[in-house]
Amino acid sequence: MTMSPNDELKIGVYVCNCGTNISHIIDAEAVKDFAASLPGVKVCRSYRYMCSNPGQEMITKDIKELGLNRVVVAACSPRMHEKTFRGACAAGGLNPYLCELANIREQCSWVHTDKLAATAKAKSLTHGAINRVIQQQPLDPLTAAMCPETLVVGGGIAGLTAALELADAGHRVHLVEKTDRLGGNLARVDLTAPHLDAARDLLTERIVRVRQSPRVSVLLRSELKSLTGYVGNYTALVETRNGSPATAESKKLEVGNVVVASGYKEFDASRITHYGYGTLPNVITSFEFEAVLRAGKITTKAGKEPQYVAIIHCVGSRNAEFHGYCSRVCCMTALKYAQEVKSAIPGCYVSDLYIDMHAFGKGCEDFYKRGSEVKTLFLMYGKNERAVIRKANPGDDCEMVIEVNEKLSGETIELPADLVILMVGMEARPDAAELARLVNISQDKDGWFIESHPKLDPVATTTDGIYIAGTCAAPKDIPDTVAQARAAAARILAKISKGKIEIDGVFAEVNEDRCSGCRMCNELCPYSAIEFDPEKRRSHVIAAACKACGCCVAACPSGAIKGRHFTDDQVLAQIEGILI
C-alpha cells in the first residue's frame, strides 16, 4: 500500500563505495550526508562493499532495530545486485519490493571524470530513489504449477549430457535433433586434445545411455516449430520428418523448461580466396582432415603420402573481416594434428602457422611442449594478415608453396606443402536467428545466444525457463560444454524439486473495465505475455511470462494497463527527486 500521511517514514539509505569503483570519482561521504538531511531518512550509512555479507547484515540489522519501512541502496546496476539487496530486506522482515536502488556506478562514476559534477549527479540519483521508494507498495510473488518434463534442443555432447542429468534424476526429457543421428559436431572428430581420447568413445557411452533410458524420448529429423506459454508451463510443437515433407508429423509436448544446445557450424573456408580452398585439391579443412584420420591413412587426394604438411590457424577467426573472436579449440586441435601426422609419417615435415598460441586449460601447455618436441616448425604471422597458397612449379618437390610474412624472423618465408590443413573457426548456425525467435532469447553481434549474465548467470537467459548450453552460446571446448550442460540441468532440477515456481511480483495488469479490446498490446508484447479473451473481448496478462518491460503500459490507448512497481506516481516522484 502507499503510505498514508499519518505513517512515519523510516527510510534507510546505504551508499556503496564499491571499493574504488564509485569512491574514486564520487564523494560517497558527501552523498551520505546529503541523503541524511532529507525528510523521512532515519539512518544513512556509507560502506566499502554494500553487497558483501557485512554490508547486507548492516541493512538487515537496521531494519530490525530501527524499524525501517523503506530502504534505498546507492550502488551499482539493479541488474547486478537488486536481488541481493531485496534478500537482505526480506531477511530483516521488510517486504523486498520496498527496496530501491540508485545506480551511481554505471550511470555516474563510470561515465564521468569531473568529481564535483559526478557527486552532484549521484546526489540527484539518490534523491530520486528516495522519492520513489516512498510511493512503492509491498508486493507478493505469485506461484504456478511446474511441469517436470524438459525439452532439450540439440543432440550433441551438450544436449546428451543435459538429457542424461535430468533423466538420471528421475524426470522425463524430450531430446530433439535436427539430423538423423546423435553426436553433433563431436561425432565428426577422431581424437580429442590434449589427452588424445577417442571422441567416438565419449559419445558412444552417452548415446547408448540415452537410447536405453526409459525417461528420454529421442526425436531425430525433428525441429521445434513453436513454443508458447511460460516457465513451468510451456507447450512445444515439434515436427518430425519421415522422408518427404508431406509425411511430416507434428507433436505437442508439455514441458516446464527448455535447454537450447543447438551447437555451431564451421567457417566456410572458400570465403578466403588466398588459401585456394576449393581450387587446390590438397587444401582441406580441419573437419575434412578428421575424416582422413578416421579412415586410418594420411594421404593426398592422389593417394600419395605427403612429405610436407602445413597447418594454418585462425581461418575465419580473430580477423576483422570475418570474426574477431577466438574459436578457442583450434590451437590444441592443430597441435594434435601435428603429433598425429608425425606419428603416422615420422619423416614428414610439419609446419604450424599461427597468430598466437592459446594453450589454456589443464594439460594444454604440456601438450604444446610435446608438439615442439616432435620437431614441428612453428611460424607466427600477424593478426588480420594471411598466408598465400599457390600451386608449386613443375620442378619443385612439393604440391604447393605457402608464402607467409613471418613475424619472429621479420622475413617473408616460402614453405613447401603437399597437404594444407585449414583450422576453420566456429560460427553461429544459420538457423540460430529463427531458433532464438522461437524460444524468445537474444543473440549478440556474432549470432551467439546471449546469457542472462556472462559471469553470474552463464546458462540462463532473460526468458525464464530457457537455458543455453555448449557452443550455441560461444566457442568452447568439451569440458566447458559438459560443465555448462550439467549446470543448466542443475538449475532446472532445482526448480522441479520445489514442485511449483515463484513468479516475480513485478508485472503488468489489465483493468478490464477500461480495456477496449483493441489488441494493440498483444502485438507489441516482446514476451508474448498478453492473451486476448474472445468471450470477454478483453486482453489479460500472463503474469509468469511478463517481464515488466512497460511496452504495453506505454502503448495502451485507453490507459487500461498498469505496471506493478512502475506506476505513474512512482516514476513521476523519481523524476521530481532527480530534477530538484
Side-chain angles (χ1 to χ4, degrees):
M1 62 177 182
T2 304
M3 294 194 68
S4 71
N6 296 324
D7 291 332
E8 181 187 358
L9 278 171
K10 293 182 180 179
I11 305 172
V13 180
Y14 301 88
V15 182
C16 181
N17 291 231
C18 197
T20 58
N21 270 301
I22 292 174
S23 60
H24 80 295
I25 292 293
I26 294 170
D27 186 342
E29 290 299 315
V31 176
K32 182 198 78 171
D33 294 341
F34 166 76
S37 68
L38 296 175
V41 175
K42 178 77 173 178
V43 63
C44 193
R45 304 185 191 279
S46 172
Y47 190 65
R48 187 170 181 83
Y49 290 107
M50 285 307 310
C51 62
S52 65
N53 285 338
Q56 294 179 58
E57 290 166 3
M58 182 190 303
I59 296 172
T60 301
K61 182 180 178 183
D62 284 350
I63 292 171
K64 291 178 178 178
E65 295 183 356
L66 303 177
L68 301 182
N69 50 29
R70 298 287 190 280
V71 166
V72 170
V73 183
C76 57
S77 165
R79 185 184 179 196
M80 181 71 72
H81 279 306
E82 186 172 57
K83 287 185 179 179
T84 301
F85 295 119
R86 281 182 178 177
C89 290
L94 181 67
N95 186 285
Y97 296 97
L98 298 178
C99 172
E100 178 65 17
L101 265 66
N103 186 353
I104 64 171
R105 188 178 74 175
E106 284 87 343
Q107 293 181 354
C108 199
S109 69
W110 280 5
V111 293
H112 295 295
T113 55
D114 186 323
K115 293 188 176 183
L116 290 176
T119 300
K121 182 178 176 181
K123 291 178 182 179
S124 295
L125 291 171
T126 304
H127 193 190
I130 293 170
N131 262 26
R132 187 190 199 282
V133 81
I134 295 171
Q135 302 295 327
Q136 289 178 191
Q137 303 169 346
L139 302 175
D140 294 318
L142 305 177
T143 58
M146 163 67 76
C147 175
E149 299 188 14
T150 302
L151 175 68
V152 177
V153 181
I157 187 67
L160 291 168
T161 301
L164 285 171
E165 292 292 318
L166 292 162
D168 289 347
H171 302 290
R172 188 161 178 78
V173 180
H174 304 279
L175 180 60
V176 174
E177 167 56 42
K178 197 170 186 177
T179 68
D180 59 357
R181 60 177 178 81
L182 296 173
N185 285 310
L186 187 56
R188 303 159 65 191
V189 174
D190 180 36
L191 303 179
T192 63
H195 304 297
L196 301 183
D197 299 312
R200 187 176 303 174
D201 292 344
L202 299 177
L203 283 172
T204 300
E205 181 266 343
R206 280 167 169 72
I207 291 173
V208 168
R209 285 174 58 197
V210 162
R211 289 291 195 182
Q212 292 178 347
S213 174
R215 299 186 186 94
V216 181
S217 171
V218 178
L219 301 171
L220 297 177
R221 298 181 297 278
S222 302
E223 289 185 65
L224 177 66
K225 288 299 182 180
S226 71
L227 185 72
T228 57
Y230 52 91
V231 56
N233 296 272
Y234 284 115
T235 298
L237 180 65
V238 176
E239 184 180 271
T240 300
R241 302 179 307 279
N242 296 316
S244 66
T247 61
E249 296 179 1
S250 295
K251 181 183 292 188
K252 279 190 176 181
L253 304 173
E254 302 297 330
V255 297
N257 297 274
V258 178
V259 178
V260 178
S262 52
Y264 71 95
K265 73 176 287 287
E266 73 268 25
F267 178 80
D268 180 3
S270 65
R271 294 165 64 186
I272 305 178
T273 58
H274 302 70
Y275 295 145
Y277 179 75
T279 58
L280 296 173
N282 289 308
V283 176
I284 63 175
T285 67
S286 44
F287 275 111
E288 289 170 342
F289 188 61
E290 291 287 354
V292 171
L293 293 171
R294 287 170 69 93
K297 188 174 183 180
I298 301 173
T299 62
T300 65
K301 289 292 174 69
K304 296 195 304 185
E305 195 172 80
Q307 184 181 359
Y308 304 101
V309 172
I311 305 168
I312 301 179
H313 292 228
C314 298
V315 176
S317 301
R318 304 194 68 215
N319 185 286
E321 185 178 350
F322 299 106
H323 301 303
Y325 55 79
C326 170
S327 290
R328 294 189 61 180
V329 301
C330 312
C331 287
M332 291 301 102
T333 305
L335 292 175
K336 179 195 77 165
Y337 290 162
Q339 294 187 38
E340 287 182 290
V341 170
K342 294 292 283 188
S343 177
I345 314 171
C348 183
Y349 295 91
V350 179
S351 304
D352 189 301
L353 286 71
Y354 68 96
I355 296 175
D356 293 303
M357 187 65 71
H358 290 187
F360 76 97
K362 188 173 183 179
C364 291
E365 195 64 37
D366 291 337
F367 193 63
Y368 182 18
K369 183 180 178 182
R370 292 204 302 273
S372 63
E373 288 173 348
V374 297
K375 297 184 178 179
T376 302
L377 177 62
F378 291 102
L379 301 106
M380 183 178 184
Y381 66 99
K383 192 174 181 180
N384 295 320
E385 293 183 4
R386 296 189 187 94
V388 177
I389 306 174
R390 59 177 171 81
K391 189 172 179 59
N393 295 322
D396 295 332
D397 67 339
C398 57
E399 292 279 334
M400 295 162 286
V401 174
I402 304 173
E403 186 177 295
V404 60
N405 183 16
E406 210 279 319
K407 291 297 181 183
L408 298 179
S409 66
E411 298 178 355
T412 298
I413 295 175
E414 288 189 345
L415 296 169
D418 297 317
L419 181 66
V420 176
I421 305 166
L422 304 179
M423 304 304 303
V424 288
M426 299 183 187
E427 63 181 15
R429 291 175 57 92
D431 58 357
E434 175 62 16
L435 182 56
R437 185 191 64 80
L438 289 173
V439 299
N440 200 22
I441 59 178
S442 300
Q443 295 174 277
D444 64 15
K445 62 182 178 62
D446 295 306
W448 305 111
F449 297 142
I450 298 177
E451 55 279 285
S452 177
H453 191 285
K455 292 182 174 64
L456 302 179
D457 209 357
V459 297
T461 67
T462 52
T463 299
D464 289 341
I466 308 296
Y467 298 88
I468 52 178
T471 52
C472 63
K476 54 178 63 72
D477 59 10
I478 297 170
D480 283 0
T481 295
V482 170
Q484 196 172 22
R486 298 186 72 179
R491 292 288 300 277
I492 292 171
L493 290 172
K495 285 185 176 181
I496 294 174
S497 67
K498 295 178 181 179
K500 57 185 178 180
I501 58 168
E502 188 174 280
I503 302 165
D504 193 348
V506 182
F507 51 85
E509 292 178 311
V510 177
N511 182 343
E512 291 190 358
D513 293 335
R514 300 184 66 176
C515 178
S516 65
C518 70
R519 307 191 197 185
M520 185 179 292
C521 55
N522 300 55
E523 299 296 328
L524 286 175
C525 180
Y527 299 99
S528 302
I530 306 179
E531 292 181 336
F532 182 75
D533 187 333
E535 293 183 4
K536 294 182 177 180
R537 297 197 62 79
R538 300 290 185 270
S539 292
H540 70 275
V541 176
I542 304 169
C546 179
K547 289 294 182 181
C549 67
C551 283
C552 58
V553 179
C556 181
S558 57
I561 309 179
K562 180 186 77 172
R564 286 163 52 110
H565 202 62
F566 290 93
T567 65
D568 291 349
D569 290 342
Q570 292 164 2
V571 175
L572 291 171
Q574 185 171 18
I575 294 171
E576 183 181 351
I578 291 173
L579 296 179
I580 290 177

